[in-house]
Amino acid sequence: QVQLTESGGGLVQAGGSLRLSCAASGRTLSSLGMGWFRQAPGKEREFVAAISRSGGTTYYAGSVKGRFTISRDNAKNTMYLQMSSLKPEDTAVYYCAGQENYIPSIASAYAYWGQGTQVTVSS
């Protein structure tokens, strides 16, 4: 059974940066396509970014492209989301997710989910 654990969330001022981590256990991370999603209060969960098993292919939502960078270190069984130029509208609970394939932006394609980490961006 795959367990995913996010960390690195917190409170940051607009324009600042944060790096989220997603540690995997119970399964070798290199066997999974991985992604980040987020959910703001009163809104549906939305796709943020995804990365293929090898890390060679990435995909971003338009709202974060150029500001966020997804990466993975399969040797450490960990995925990352580097967030820069943060905006108040980036405030949300951020979830990491894993799947057997690589269907980047479709939440239902992901079988494994973490518990989420809160990111709050103040103006």
Side-chain angles (χ1 to χ4, degrees), residues 15-45:
S17 300
L18 277 177
R19 188 176 81 156
L20 305 183
S21 299
C22 173
S25 61
R27 181 84 174 265
T28 301
L29 193 68
S30 60
S31 66
L32 299 172
M34 298 295 295
W36 288 97
F37 288 76
R38 67 187 182 187
Q39 188 166 18
K43 295 187 177 181
E44 293 189 354
R45 190 172 298 189

Side-chain angles (χ1 to χ4, degrees), residues 23-105:
S25 61
R27 181 84 174 265
T28 301
L29 193 68
S30 60
S31 66
L32 299 172
M34 298 295 295
W36 288 97
F37 288 76
R38 67 187 182 187
Q39 188 166 18
K43 295 187 177 181
E44 293 189 354
R45 190 172 298 189
E46 66 172 357
F47 168 75
V48 175
I51 189 165
S52 60
R53 294 185 188 91
S54 67
T57 302
T58 57
Y59 184 65
Y60 296 91
S63 59
V64 307
K65 195 171 185 179
R67 300 188 298 121
F68 291 11
T69 301
I70 189 171
S71 63
R72 64 194 296 163
D73 186 337
N74 288 338
K76 294 182 178 180
N77 243 28
T78 303
M79 175 181 67
Y80 305 97
L81 184 69
Q82 178 68 48
M83 305 185 293
S84 303
S85 301
L86 283 161
K87 305 174 181 179
E89 51 263 45
D90 294 318
T91 295
V93 177
Y94 283 71
Y95 299 89
C96 69
Q99 61 170 280
E100 305 294 343
N101 301 298
Y102 181 60
I103 305 171
S105 63

